Amino acid sequence: MTHPLHDPPLSESDPVIASLIRSEDERQRDKLRMIPSENYASRAVQEACGSSLNNKYSEGYPRKRYYEGQQFIDPIEEAARDRIKALFGVEHANVQPYSGSPANLAVYFAFCKPGDTVMGLGLPHGGHLTHGWSVSITGSYFKSVAYSVRRDDHRIDMEEVARLAQQHRPRLLFCGGTAYPRSWDFAAFAAIAKDVGAILVADIAHISGLVVGGAHPSPVGHADIITSTTHKTLRGPRGGMILCGAAHAAAIDKAVFPGLQGGPHEGNIAGIAVAAKEAATEGFRAYAHQVVANAKALAAAMTDRGYSLVSGGTDNHLLLVDLTAQNISGKKAAKALDLAGIELNYNSVPYDPRKPFDPSGVRLGTPALTSRGLDEKHMEMVAGWFDRAVKGAEDESALAAVAAEVKRLLADYPAPGLLT
Ligand SMILES: *Cc1c(COP(=O)(O)O)cnc(C)c1O
């Protein structure tokens, strides 16, 4: 048997996994990472996550735990909660959800019985699976009603939201999405929710960094419950959180634990605390505004090159490009772009005549590029590379040439948090 104190580094103990992680570091270093839900967490965040906290069980909440040895865990979770509360300006924060989907599921568990009606933006129109879409547990245990975006301008049809809410009287009304390039009118949703007695849930998973940076209106004061991931524009570790007023605090906490989860991942909670401190700085405010400025610059540069953008542009960090006029499917374009060093995802566009596994569009965003310090002038270059890759989708050497140019630019803009 190996001596228990034999504790070699990963590179020695498991060179296969070590080398794959190194390769992933290099891939993230050398590519334009434009999947709008992704980012680079800082080295400080990564360090907090990969620590002795990984070894600890702490079921319960600070000062009300079921295990001993919480002397240092409690202040960590309290710091995470207090910093998040201060950052968003809310009375209560639960930072234990393992990710965004469990955060939403906890909200259902707190307020709904199976079979209750819920409402959210339909998945094909930019909503999230967990807002009641049919293949999700939320669409099979609950009766769900989807609202949509308008055919002509791709904006949420608030009249339809009001009409459906009156007709179906949902228990939960979700606003927020994964592929909606425009601002959310939280006040208008709140008025509708109030009218029909629904609980308004603002899921700001994508935009929470923009919200705290002042680059998107805040749902605080409008939504009863706010859910979010912590790893998207907020630039923290993987995780989820639920924010609310004091009136809902007990119901939310009970739904997360013991309702849905067991022991919280305190390493990630420490990472959330670190990310919340980073997000409270002037530098982060500037970051959030630059994310949006970059997305708008990219939208303009893409439009100049003849690309059709869903809703005609963007108010936030993401763009949806409809490639119908370019005569290439979203999937084919995404694969070519990846070879060209531009990583994004294929995506349905509203009223897409094509199937979801090979839709008409691609979705891309600026959070990760902005974390490396790229600005408006680079967005012009990105649009040029995008165009060359789409036009040269069949030409491997053209794609490789773009990838080399991308890599050369990025060498001057190191990414936060990578080991390489
Ligand atoms: C990403 C996202 C989620 C889910 O987060 P996971 O961490 O992937 O579970 C939920 N809601 C919205 C709007 C999202 O964008």
Side-chain angles (χ1 to χ4, degrees):
M1 200 191 125
T2 323
H3 189 279
L5 286 183
H6 181 65
D7 188 20
L10 184 63
S11 55
E12 270 173 47
S13 86
D14 195 334
V16 172
I17 296 301
S19 136
L20 288 169
I21 294 175
R22 178 164 294 272
S23 299
E24 174 63 11
D25 276 343
E26 289 167 3
R27 194 191 67 79
Q28 293 193 15
R29 182 193 63 195
D30 295 341
K31 277 195 172 174
L32 287 166
R33 298 180 52 236
M34 301 195 73
I35 295 173
S37 49
E38 294 186 348
N39 214 326
Y40 296 96
S42 69
R43 177 177 175 167
V45 165
Q46 305 278 28
E47 265 180 40
C49 295
S51 68
S52 60
L53 300 177
N54 191 49
N55 300 334
K56 189 69 196 111
Y57 246 99
S58 50
E59 284 185 359
Y61 290 100
R63 296 173 220 271
K64 282 171 285 178
R65 305 283 193 186
Y66 292 81
Y67 297 79
E68 296 314 310
Q70 312 295 344
Q71 292 86 343
F72 310 109
I73 299 296
D74 278 1
I76 286 171
E77 188 168 338
E78 278 173 339
R81 290 200 303 202
D82 290 346
R83 290 175 185 180
I84 290 291
K85 283 194 292 188
L87 192 60
F88 287 87
V90 292
E91 289 169 350
H92 184 69
N94 187 309
V95 293
Q96 292 194 358
Y98 301 140
S99 211
S101 301
N104 284 343
L105 206 51
V107 175
Y108 285 85
F109 194 58
F111 300 112
C112 298
K113 296 265 169 295
D116 279 358
T117 300
V118 302
M119 245 178 88
L121 178 61
L123 184 79
H125 288 203
H128 192 258
L129 282 164
T130 55
H131 299 179
W133 194 244
S134 53
V135 298
S136 152
I137 184 171
T138 62
S140 79
Y141 287 17
F142 303 94
K143 179 171 174 277
S144 87
V145 178
Y147 55 86
S148 20
V149 299
R150 285 187 293 252
R151 217 173 246 284
D152 51 355
D153 64 357
H154 304 141
R155 310 283 176 131
I156 288 170
D157 185 345
M158 293 308 293
E159 277 164 31
E160 184 198 30
V161 176
R163 184 169 45 75
L164 291 174
Q166 288 291 348
Q167 189 183 339
H168 297 282
R169 303 248 145 201
R171 177 82 175 126
L172 299 180
L173 172 58
F174 277 92
C175 56
T178 64
Y180 187 63
R182 295 298 177 174
S183 289
W184 289 85
D185 186 348
F186 297 120
F189 273 95
I192 293 170
K194 188 153 181 263
D195 260 3
V196 302
I199 292 168
L200 180 63
V201 186
D203 178 350
I204 57 169
H206 263 258
I207 56 171
S208 50
L210 306 183
V211 167
V212 301
H216 186 289
S218 171
V220 175
H222 301 297
D224 300 290
I225 306 288
I226 298 166
T227 61
S228 183
T229 57
T230 52
H231 48 271
K232 296 180 183 174
T233 50
L234 196 57
R235 227 158 66 180
R238 298 206 81 98
M241 60 189 181
I242 307 175
L243 317 177
C244 60
H248 293 308
I252 288 296
D253 283 356
K254 200 163 138 247
V256 174
F257 176 86
L260 185 68
Q261 298 188 166
H265 296 178
E266 294 292 348
N268 286 50
I269 289 173
I272 291 172
V274 174
K277 184 179 179 210
E278 292 174 357
T281 59
E282 267 313 306
F284 193 88
R285 270 191 94 75
Y287 164 73
H289 286 278
Q290 190 64 50
V291 166
V292 176
N294 283 351
K296 286 181 186 290
L298 182 60
M302 296 283 291
T303 305
D304 283 349
R305 284 171 176 76
Y307 288 91
S308 167
L309 303 183
V310 168
S311 84
T314 183
D315 297 328
N316 57 26
H317 61 301
L318 72 85
L319 281 63
L320 266 177
V321 188
D322 185 341
L323 294 166
T324 306
Q326 279 72 29
N327 250 318
I328 184 170
S329 80
K331 191 181 213 165
K332 201 164 171 200
K335 301 234 173 280
L337 285 154
D338 195 54
L339 290 174
I342 302 173
E343 181 193 7
L344 42 65
N345 64 278
Y346 59 86
N347 213 101
S348 294
V349 299
Y351 305 98
D352 203 326
R354 300 178 63 98
K355 296 275 181 278
F357 57 84
D358 190 13
S360 301
V362 292
R363 183 186 71 148
L364 70 170
T366 54
L369 303 194
T370 310
S371 292
R372 302 183 74 146
L374 300 198
D375 63 22
E376 289 93 331
K377 64 183 175 293
H378 302 114
M379 297 305 118
E380 182 60 38
M381 299 166 74
V382 171
W385 285 324
F386 182 103
D387 192 35
R388 276 167 59 192
V390 165
K391 290 190 173 133
E394 309 283 352
D395 180 351
E396 265 177 44
S397 66
L399 298 175
V402 173
E405 288 175 38
V406 164
K407 186 173 169 182
R408 214 171 306 135
L409 172 75
L410 291 180
D412 293 334
Y413 295 88
L418 299 186
L419 299 175
T420 309

